[in-house]
Every structure is written in C-alpha cells, then in structure tokens.
C-alpha cells in the first residue's frame, strides 16, 4: 500500500490530471488517493518552482562559457544557440516561437498559467513558467496551490459523477 501511495505522489508531481483516475484504477482507497494526489501536486510544484531559479541562473552562467569552448564548425551548426547572448546591432527579428510566447503571455498571462498548469501543462513546466515570468509576484505560490486543490476537487467530482468512464 505504501509503495502504491508513493508511486501516486511521484506521478502527481509530474502529470497531475492523470493521477487521480490512475489511483482509483489501481485500487487505492479514495481518501488516501486524494491525499496522495494533493501531496504530490503541491510538493512537486514547490520542488520545481524553487529549483527552476538556480537552474536558470546556472544555465545563464554556463551558456557563454560553453559557447566559447565549442569549435567553430559546431558553432555554425548551432548558430542561434551561441549567438543568443551577444549584443545585437540590428533590429530584432521575431520568430514564430517568440510570437507564440508573447501571444500566450499577453492573452492568458498570469491566470492562464495558474489555471492551466495542473490540467493542460505539466507541474514542472507550469512551475518553470511561473517562476520565469512571474517570479516577482507576491502570492504566486498560494494561487498555484489553490489551483491544484481546486482541480483535485473538480477531478474528484467528475469521478463521482461519471464512475463508469474512469473504471
């Protein structure tokens, strides 16, 4: 039983929406499944949220040093990767990816990340985006925990309303 609960906690810390139906399918009692899913979701968010800042700092510190050691022939192949930190003299060119990120950030923004993280995004990606773009906001961790708890309530309600779909 403890191994099943630990498995559910670890799964919930990565892919939250699939975990509660999975816990019910493998035969875990409902109250233990809810507690394990909540512990995994909240614990996973806190872990990845506080881990993402040192990882970003380390990448920003390591990136120019790696590009300085890369041979010239490899720099030609990965030109956009190594030219990222050089000062640009010409006008900035927006790629399709940059436009998509700006569109998502301006359209959905803070609340889009908060609401979509447990369901559409995964917990690690949502924690990374929340820390990168909105890390200075005061209550982002509290809002994300409320979102995780709220989605657990929605998922458990769906399981109770439509048990034949999940079993």
């Amino acid at each position: 039983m403890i191994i099943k609960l630990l498995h559910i906690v670890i799964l919930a810390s990565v892919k939250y929406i699939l975990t509660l139906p999975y816990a019910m399918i493998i035969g875990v009692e409902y109250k233990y499944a809810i507690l394990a899913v909540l512990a995994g979701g909240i614990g996973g968010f806190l872990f990845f949220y506080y881990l993402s800042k040192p990882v970003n700092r380390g990448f920003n510190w390591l990136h120019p040093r790696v590009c300085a050691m890369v041979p010239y022939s490899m720099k030609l192949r990965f030109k956009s990767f190594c030219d990222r930190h050089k000062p640009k003299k010409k006008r900035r060119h927006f790629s399709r990816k940059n436009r998509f990120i700006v569109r998502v950030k301006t359209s959905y923004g803070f609340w889009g990340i908060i609401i979509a993280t447990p369901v559409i995004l995964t917990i690690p990606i949502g924690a990374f985006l929340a820390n990168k773009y909105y890390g200075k906001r005061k209550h982002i961790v509290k809002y994300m925990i409320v979102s995780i708890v709220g989605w657990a309530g929605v998922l458990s309600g769906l399981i109770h309303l439509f048990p034949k779909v999940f079993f």
Side-chain angles (χ1 to χ4, degrees), residues 81-167:
F81 179 75
C82 285
D83 288 345
R84 197 175 80 154
H85 285 286
K86 290 184 180 179
K88 296 184 180 180
K89 296 178 184 175
K90 60 181 183 175
R91 224 177 97 175
R92 191 170 176 169
H93 175 61
F94 286 102
S95 65
R96 179 180 275 179
K97 182 176 104 177
N98 288 346
R99 285 186 192 136
F100 176 74
I101 290 172
V102 168
R103 189 178 327 124
V104 167
K105 189 176 174 187
T106 57
S107 299
Y108 304 109
F110 178 74
W111 291 108
I113 290 174
I114 295 292
I115 293 169
T117 292
V119 180
I120 298 170
L121 303 172
T122 60
I123 297 283
I125 291 173
F128 173 76
L129 290 174
N131 195 351
K132 181 171 179 154
Y133 294 119
Y134 302 106
K136 303 284 186 201
R137 293 229 178 160
K138 195 173 185 178
H139 301 292
I140 188 155
V141 174
K142 293 176 188 174
Y143 290 143
M144 189 64 78
I145 290 172
V146 168
S147 174
I148 290 170
V149 171
W151 278 111
V154 168
L155 290 174
S156 67
L158 288 173
I159 285 176
H160 281 297
L161 287 175
F162 308 107
K164 292 185 180 181
V165 174
F166 294 103
F167 301 113

